[in-house]
């Protein structure tokens, strides 16, 4: 009985924390966001890139809890606002010690350069650069600053770009596991780790090609910003690694010092009384200070980041997936909005479901029939990410964006023989046609099932080719040459005709303005999304109307507000539901 009572007490405490503490925590966060601190007269913005970066802001109920990651889009938006803000004097940035997503570094570099062109200083500090990921891209971003500081004694190891892949073929053979997959075609290497014990010739060629492109892009950009010859900088970097003092002596960085010393240097740019202000806090305050005039023509911004899947976002909890119902609905809303003159569709996705991709592409085509739709590619827009981009009015990609991968794969893992070795037997039952049991993991496809599945893979691949050929106005045979599942960088994709321009988000906005006949005019950016905001998700979870939640969020004394008690009375009725998915189904994947 004692243990039962202790257990029940724990359960009760957990329920109280979830159903009472959490809503008040969310309400408090909403209230704080609605009343951000004022920006001082002399502000030096701070940006800590060690927290990690997404491409776009998460749009889930708990996006702001338990995570300190920021987004590329929020950073460039804040810096864009700060360019014309006389209160903002400089930007102080802390670099990560490892690599960054190359296209994210490209985008931030453009923002830093534009910020500097507005007459403001950028000072960057590094506590060392280690050979993890695309560290050369991290250095490239630091090189775009007015001053690049490094902590004394720290390592400078930006000597190149490397990657590692795991191959399971021999392990699978040893334990009787069969990877029964098909690819279209040889460059579609997502499942090569299951099928082979080493890189195929095509896999090696494609991967070293895009890696080389990313590396050369970073070298060229850093050389331009440091006013060095690209070949000389490349030779200098590859002759490393160095310590910080040697890196300074060779002209790779500007100053040696601790973080506090670099901060003081940034504050000097602000003048007497300057204060450090976190970039996120500045962004909230700048938005609260005023919105663009509503009589300005609008450019809608529709965002898509993550794996592409069918259906809507469930209950506000999926933070980074591209849900086809939501994105299609947002594109449709932007197309019907008379104040919107063009749409910028920001995409950062490695692919996903072909049917979900087709639903989104259909929405892109419908929107384009009414107004220009310009795609802005983030870290990647490959496979399904390229499918949904392919028929836009124009495509703008960063030089290091990973794109293309026009191909498809699919199949299943056959675990029956492996489990049988350990006395575990998988048995199947099915009714209907032979293909009803095709997704069974107990055995390989039968010859008839394999033929049907291969035809389905071919159908999806041929459809992909046609959509790209139609959208990019390329002969289908030419698309087949550059497809086969091969990944390209933006710099490689432009001469192939897969993208139109190299640049970032604001270059895509300029393109949208030009296509809408708005060049030279002031416009307002209007985010359009079908994702539920935190407020809407809380409303749905608690089962109350938005007016009640707004009242709670703005109440000065939430705990004494009778309306809060009314909400709490309804909280106990909230239920969370989840949906499962069969990941072993042999369906085409991008």
């Amino acid at each position: 009985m004692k243990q039962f009572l202790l257990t029940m007490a724990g359960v009760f405490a957990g329920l109280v924390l979830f159903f009472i503490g959490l809503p008040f925590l969310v309400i408090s966060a909403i209230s704080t966001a609605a009343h951000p601190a004022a920006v001082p007269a002399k502000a030096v913005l701070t940006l800590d890139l060690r927290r990690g970066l997404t491409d776009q802001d998460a749009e889930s109920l708990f996006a702001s809890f338990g995570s300190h990651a920021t987004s590329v889009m929020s950073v460039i938006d804040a810096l864009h606002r700060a360019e014309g803000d006389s209160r903002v004097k400089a930007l102080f940035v802390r670099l990560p010690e490892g690599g960054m997503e190359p296209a994210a570094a490209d985008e931030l570099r453009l923002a830093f350069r534009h910020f500097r062109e507005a007459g403001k200083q950028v000072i960057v500090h590094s506590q060392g650069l280690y050979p993890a990921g695309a560290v050369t891209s991290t250095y490239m971003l630091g090189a775009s600053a007015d001053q690049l500081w490094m902590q004394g004694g720290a390592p400078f190891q930006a000597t190149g770009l490397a990657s590692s892949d795991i191959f399971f073929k021999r392990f699978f053979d040893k334990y009787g596991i069969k990877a029964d997959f098909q690819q279209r075609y040889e460059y579609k290497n997502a499942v090569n780790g299951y099928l082979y014990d080493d890189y195929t010739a095509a896999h090696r060629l494609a991967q070293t090609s895009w890696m080389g492109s990313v590396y050369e892009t970073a070298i060229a950009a850093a050389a331009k910003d440091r006013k060095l010859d690209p070949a000389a900088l490349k030779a200098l970097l590859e002759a490393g690694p160095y310590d910080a003092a040697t890196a300074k002596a060779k002209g790779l960085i500007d100053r040696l010092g601790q973080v506090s010393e670099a901060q003081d240097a940034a504050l000097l740019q602000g003048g007497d009384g300057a204060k450090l202000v976190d970039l996120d806090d500045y962004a909230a305050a700048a938005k609260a200070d005023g919105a663009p005039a509503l009589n300005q023509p609008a450019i809608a911004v529709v965002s898509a980041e993550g794996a592409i899947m069918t259906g809507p976002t469930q209950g506000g909890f999926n933070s980074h997936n591209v849900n086809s119902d939501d994105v299609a609905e947002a594109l449709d809303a932007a197309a019907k909005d008379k104040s919107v003159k063009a749409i910028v569709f920001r995409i950062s996705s490695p692919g996903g479901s072909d049917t979900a991709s087709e639903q989104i592409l259909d929405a892109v085509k419908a929107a384009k029939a009414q107004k220009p739709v310009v795609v802005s590619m983030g870290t990647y827009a490959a496979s399904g990410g390229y499918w949904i981009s392919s028929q836009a009015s124009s495509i703008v990609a960063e030089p290091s964006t990973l794109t293309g991968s026009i191909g498809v794969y699919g199949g299943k893992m056959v675990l029956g023989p492996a489990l049988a070795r350990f006395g575990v037997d998988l048995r199947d039952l099915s009714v209907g046609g032979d293909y009803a049991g095709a997704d069974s993991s107990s055995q390989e496809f039968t010859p008839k099932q394999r033929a049907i599945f291969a035809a389905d893979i071919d159908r999806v691949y041929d459809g992909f080719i046609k959509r790209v050929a139609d959208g990019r106005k390329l002969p289908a045979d030419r698309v087949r040459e550059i497809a086969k599942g091969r990944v390209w960088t933006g710099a490689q994709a432009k001469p192939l005709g897969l993208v139109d321009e190299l640049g970032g988000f604001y270059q895509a906005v300029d393109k949208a303005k030009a296509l809408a006949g708005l060049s030279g005019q002031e416009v307002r950016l209007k985010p359009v999304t079908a994702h539920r905001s935190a407020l809407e998700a809380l409303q749905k979870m608690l089962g109350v109307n938005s007016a009640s939640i707004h009242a709670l969020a703005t109440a000065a004394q939430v705990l004494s507000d009778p309306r809060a008690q009314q909400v709490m009375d309804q909280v106990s009725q909230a239920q969370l539901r989840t949906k499962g998915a069969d990941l072993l189904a042999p369906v085409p994947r991008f």
Side-chain angles (χ1 to χ4, degrees):
M1 177 60 72
K2 180 180 179 181
Q3 183 60 45
F4 172 77
L5 292 175
L6 289 173
T7 301
M8 290 302 297
V11 171
F12 178 76
L15 289 172
V16 168
L17 285 174
F18 184 82
F19 287 119
I20 297 179
L22 180 60
F24 280 123
L25 182 63
V26 174
I27 290 165
S28 176
I30 294 171
S31 181
T32 301
H35 302 284
V39 179
K42 295 179 180 179
V44 173
L45 304 182
T46 64
L47 172 63
D48 191 345
L49 294 175
R50 300 172 305 164
R51 298 182 298 181
L53 279 172
T54 58
D55 184 69
Q56 299 153 30
D57 287 335
E59 294 173 340
S60 68
L61 177 59
F62 303 119
S64 59
F65 301 105
S67 173
H68 297 288
T70 188
S71 73
V72 172
M73 291 295 287
S74 65
V75 170
I76 65 173
D77 175 69
L79 291 179
H80 188 72
R81 293 173 184 272
E83 289 170 12
D85 190 336
S86 61
R87 299 170 298 180
V88 176
K89 309 301 181 182
L91 172 67
F92 176 67
V93 182
R94 298 192 66 177
L95 287 182
E97 295 173 10
M100 295 179 61
E101 293 287 2
D106 286 346
E107 187 84 63
L108 293 181
R109 173 180 173 268
L110 289 176
F112 286 7
R113 286 175 59 85
H114 213 263
F115 187 80
R116 292 178 59 193
E117 288 168 3
K120 301 170 192 271
Q121 291 273 309
V122 177
I123 296 177
V124 171
H125 186 272
S126 170
Q127 290 183 276
L129 294 174
Y130 292 88
V135 70
T136 311
S137 295
T138 306
Y139 173 66
M140 174 197 73
L141 181 59
S144 68
D146 293 282
Q147 298 177 29
L148 174 53
W149 289 62
M150 183 168 279
Q151 182 172 304
F156 184 99
Q157 299 179 358
T159 58
L161 176 60
S163 70
S164 297
D165 295 282
I166 299 177
F167 294 88
F168 291 93
K169 179 63 164 59
R170 292 196 302 117
F171 173 84
F172 286 174
D173 289 347
K174 180 177 180 180
Y175 291 100
I177 300 170
K178 170 70 174 180
D180 201 357
F181 286 88
Q182 296 192 38
Q183 303 154 287
R184 300 293 184 274
Y185 275 98
E186 65 266 27
Y187 297 107
K188 196 68 179 178
N189 52 44
V191 291
N192 277 10
Y194 304 148
L195 302 176
Y196 306 103
D197 59 12
D198 198 354
Y199 296 103
T200 64
H203 188 170
R204 186 183 301 275
L205 171 64
Q207 191 152 318
T208 55
S209 176
W210 70 253
M211 288 173 62
S213 178
V214 166
Y215 182 51
E216 294 297 333
T217 291
I219 293 291
K224 180 178 180 180
D225 292 336
R226 299 292 299 178
K227 296 179 173 55
L228 298 171
D229 175 71
L233 176 60
K234 182 178 180 181
L236 188 59
L237 291 174
E238 292 179 359
Y242 308 111
D243 61 14
T246 305
K248 180 179 181 298
K250 293 181 177 294
L252 294 170
I253 63 174
D254 299 301
R255 303 282 296 274
L256 298 179
Q258 295 292 335
V259 173
S260 59
E261 295 174 284
Q263 279 184 343
D264 289 343
L267 285 169
L268 280 176
Q269 302 299 323
D272 292 341
K275 296 181 179 179
L276 297 173
V277 178
D278 185 90
L279 190 71
D280 289 340
D281 294 337
Y282 169 77
K287 290 177 182 178
D289 285 344
L294 292 178
N295 60 356
Q296 290 179 348
I299 302 293
V301 180
V302 177
S303 300
E305 179 175 12
I308 301 172
M309 56 184 61
T310 58
T313 300
Q314 295 295 319
F317 289 92
N318 292 342
S319 59
H320 278 303
N321 288 318
V322 181
N323 296 89
S324 59
D325 285 8
D326 292 344
V327 176
E329 182 180 332
L331 288 165
D332 181 62
K336 291 177 179 177
D337 188 335
K338 293 182 179 179
S339 71
V340 169
K341 306 305 178 186
I343 300 168
V344 173
F345 188 16
R346 176 72 175 193
I347 299 171
S348 187
S349 172
S353 161
D354 65 309
T355 53
S357 298
E358 179 64 8
Q359 180 185 357
I360 295 171
L361 179 62
D362 184 68
V364 169
K365 292 189 292 184
K368 189 177 74 168
Q370 301 179 62
K371 55 196 65 171
V373 179
V374 177
V375 163
S376 169
M377 291 182 169
T379 300
Y380 31 56
S383 295
Y386 192 78
W387 183 300
I388 66 178
S389 306
S390 61
Q391 299 198 18
S393 307
S394 186
I395 299 175
V396 180
E398 290 289 0
S400 300
T401 295
L402 298 184
T403 189
S405 193
I406 302 166
V408 62
Y409 72 91
K412 62 180 180 179
M413 300 297 296
V414 180
L415 305 176
L419 293 175
R421 297 184 181 186
F422 300 93
V424 178
D425 298 309
L426 293 181
R427 300 287 185 252
D428 300 323
L429 290 173
S430 65
V431 295
D434 176 64
Y435 202 73
D439 66 343
S440 170
S441 59
S442 67
Q443 59 185 354
E444 297 179 41
F445 290 115
T446 66
K448 182 178 179 180
Q449 289 171 343
R450 183 170 287 107
I452 293 172
F453 185 59
D456 194 32
I457 290 283
D458 288 334
R459 175 189 60 78
V460 176
Y461 182 70
D462 290 343
F464 202 165
I465 295 294
K466 184 179 188 311
R467 284 154 181 77
V468 174
D470 291 346
R472 302 305 303 164
K473 296 179 172 55
L474 293 169
D477 288 345
R478 174 56 176 157
V479 176
R480 290 184 184 279
E481 290 177 13
I482 59 179
K484 303 177 183 179
R486 182 162 178 176
V487 174
W488 307 96
T489 63
Q492 294 171 322
K494 185 176 183 296
L496 296 175
L498 295 178
V499 305
D500 297 293
E501 298 181 16
L502 298 181
F505 173 75
Y506 283 103
Q507 285 68 39
V509 171
D510 288 341
K511 182 65 176 180
K513 289 169 62 176
L515 292 176
L518 300 173
S519 295
Q521 295 186 42
E522 291 294 324
V523 299
R524 59 188 174 95
L525 298 182
K526 183 176 183 178
V528 179
T529 177
H531 287 290
R532 294 183 181 89
S533 66
L535 187 66
E536 293 168 325
L538 184 62
Q539 170 193 338
K540 178 178 176 64
M541 190 174 85
L542 302 184
V544 296
N545 61 40
S546 59
S548 298
I549 297 295
H550 276 292
L552 283 169
T554 56
Q557 300 292 332
V558 172
L559 290 176
S560 63
D561 190 332
R563 290 171 292 183
Q565 185 59 49
Q566 182 182 6
V567 172
M568 292 305 107
D569 289 341
Q570 299 180 55
V571 166
S572 61
Q573 300 175 19
Q575 294 182 0
L576 303 179
R577 295 179 175 87
T578 60
K579 290 181 65 178
D582 181 5
L583 300 180
L584 295 179
V587 298
R589 305 285 183 189
F590 287 129

